[in-house]
């Protein structure tokens, strides 16, 4: 067994790290500063295999079935916009990792001017059908936005996928206007669900390279010169149909058979009713000085 990771801590640069779980399939390391990360990262080929078009099927986001999770996503994103509106009402918003553009739809409806960046060609094409050239297909760095362009930058379920967190945060802060807001939603490695599930936590995935907690996200924001305004649990609106689909895709010894049972037991109307669920994620709002 490898006893030291192949890289220093991405947050504090230290080398005092240890394996978080002795028996985990993924190489999850934890630094004394609290940072949790994979080391080594999966290879470029492995990641490419993960992010093929079928990646989005686990969201129920196949092209012919886009309506099923739509209501669920719009409810979640409207709740996030409501939080943001306590600090800022409208302006230019950039959603990094915008997928097919659900957040931007909700933002546009709330009066924001929507822009998006999406790495996946498949989902950026769907977003472009709604927002045209305002959707950039590629990485944030490749988009080369001008300094101080946006009033709000949002990243939902994105930061954990980013390879070089420092460079990424630097770029985000550069293109944010002074007094602009940053919203991050990411798995919370200090959440109850993580502590209960251990190495089997549903957010531990090969493509999730970094894992944050309220403590480490605060440290990252401090390092990026972005004082946090708010750090709190972030619920998602879900329905049973979605949860069943997740556990049938990501096999779990207990929950997968339960999900299959629930699928047979409940009628469609119950399976598609939306309700807020705490999924072990945290929501952060920070403001550029
Ligand atoms: Zn560290």
């Amino acid at each position: 067994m490898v006893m030291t990771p192949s890289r220093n801590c991405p947050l504090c640069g230290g080398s005092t790290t240890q394996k978080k779980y002795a028996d985990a399939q993924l190489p999850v390391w934890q630094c004394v500063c609290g940072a949790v990360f994979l080391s080594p990262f999966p290879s470029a080929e492995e990641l490419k295999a993960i992010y093929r078009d079928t990646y989005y099927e686990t969201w129920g986001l196949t092209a012919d079935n886009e309506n099923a999770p739509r209501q669920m996503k719009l409810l979640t994103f409207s709740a996030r916009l409501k939080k943001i509106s306590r600090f800022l009402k409208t302006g230019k918003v950039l959603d990094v990792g915008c997928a097919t553009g659900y957040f931007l739809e909700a933002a546009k409806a709330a009066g924001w001017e929507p822009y998006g960046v999406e790495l996946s060609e498949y989902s950026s094409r769907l977003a472009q059908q709604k927002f045209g050239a305002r959707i950039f297909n590629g990485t944030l760095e490749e988009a080369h936005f001008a300094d101080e362009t946006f009033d709000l930058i949002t990243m939902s379920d994105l930061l954990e996928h980013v390879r070089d967190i420092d460079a990424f945060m630097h770029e985000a802060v550069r293109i944010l206007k002074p007094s602009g807001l940053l919203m991050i939603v990411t798995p919370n490695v200090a959440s109850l669900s993580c502590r209960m599930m251990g190495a089997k936590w549903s957010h531990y995935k090969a493509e999730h390279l970094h894992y944050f907690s309220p403590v480490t996200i605060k440290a990252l924001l401090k390092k990026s010169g972005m004082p946090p305004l708010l750090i709190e649990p972030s619920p998602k609106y879900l329905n049973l149909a979605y949860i069943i689909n997740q556990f049938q895709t990501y096999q779990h010894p207990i929950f997968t058979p339960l999900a299959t049972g629930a699928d047979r037991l409940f009628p469609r109307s119950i399976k598609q009713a939306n309700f807020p669920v705490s999924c072990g994620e945290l929501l952060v709002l920070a403001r550029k000085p």
Side-chain angles (χ1 to χ4, degrees):
M1 189 167 74
V2 186
M3 292 311 289
T4 51
S6 53
R7 67 172 54 80
N8 281 1
C9 170
L11 190 60
C12 73
S15 56
T16 316
T17 49
Q18 57 174 345
K19 272 260 171 92
K20 193 165 165 62
Y21 308 101
D23 56 344
Q25 294 212 325
L26 289 171
V28 182
W29 293 83
Q30 180 157 28
C31 177
V32 284
C33 78
V36 176
F37 55 100
L38 295 189
S39 182
F41 286 164
S43 68
E45 290 74 35
E46 286 170 283
L47 286 175
K48 205 175 165 188
I50 291 168
Y51 292 127
R52 58 197 198 280
D53 286 0
T54 52
Y55 186 69
Y56 299 91
E57 282 174 12
T58 62
W59 301 12
L61 277 192
T62 49
D64 59 343
N65 181 29
E66 222 210 341
N67 267 336
R70 189 185 151 82
Q71 209 52 35
M72 209 168 80
K73 295 261 170 200
L74 288 179
L75 278 169
T76 301
F77 292 145
S78 297
R80 289 178 193 170
L81 282 161
K82 208 168 164 188
K83 284 226 164 3
I84 291 165
S85 73
R86 281 164 50 191
F87 303 96
L88 194 63
K89 300 273 185 241
T90 53
K92 268 191 182 180
V93 55
L94 177 70
D95 191 30
V96 187
C98 69
T100 62
Y102 287 124
F103 178 80
L104 293 176
E105 277 184 60
K108 192 181 172 190
W112 292 85
E113 197 184 324
Y115 292 79
V117 167
E118 173 54 49
L119 194 56
S120 154
E121 203 190 316
Y122 170 80
S123 46
S124 63
R125 218 180 311 124
L126 291 175
Q128 280 162 353
Q129 287 169 12
K130 303 170 195 166
F131 302 104
R134 286 188 179 182
I135 305 297
F136 178 80
N137 176 215
T139 66
L140 177 64
E141 288 89 341
E142 285 164 357
H144 296 294
F145 290 111
D147 289 356
E148 303 180 359
T149 302
F150 298 102
D151 299 280
L152 169 66
I153 297 179
T154 56
M155 310 164 176
S156 293
D157 306 319
L158 184 272
L159 200 57
E160 62 272 22
H161 297 259
V162 171
R163 199 168 265 272
D164 185 341
I165 295 271
D166 280 342
F168 179 80
M169 287 297 289
H170 185 267
E171 180 65 3
V173 175
R174 181 186 71 76
I175 62 176
L176 201 55
K177 288 181 190 171
S179 303
L181 291 187
L182 177 66
M183 185 203 78
I184 298 170
V185 175
T186 191
N188 177 3
V189 82
S191 64
L192 183 65
S193 68
C194 181
R195 281 178 283 142
M196 281 175 62
M197 307 267 293
K200 298 233 182 285
W201 190 40
S202 59
H203 292 293
Y204 284 132
K205 293 176 189 176
E207 69 271 30
H208 289 178
L209 311 176
H210 298 101
Y211 301 85
F212 297 92
S213 68
V215 170
T216 57
I217 200 86
K218 214 182 271 179
L220 176 72
L221 289 167
K222 192 178 173 200
K223 201 170 149 187
S224 313
M226 293 285 296
L229 296 168
L230 183 95
I231 300 178
E232 60 180 44
S234 179
K236 269 186 178 150
Y237 282 83
L238 297 182
N239 56 47
L240 267 180
Y242 174 86
I243 295 169
I244 289 165
N245 184 260
Q246 285 286 305
F247 282 116
Q248 287 174 342
T249 308
Y250 298 101
Q251 295 284 320
H252 183 279
I254 296 163
F255 295 123
T256 300
L258 277 178
T260 304
D263 196 16
R264 291 199 200 103
L265 190 64
F266 293 108
R268 194 182 156 88
S269 59
I270 288 183
K271 283 191 283 188
Q272 294 193 336
N274 297 298
F275 52 92
V277 182
S278 177
C279 295
E281 290 201 295
L282 54 85
L283 179 143
V284 179
L285 282 178
R287 177 175 272 153
K288 184 172 172 177

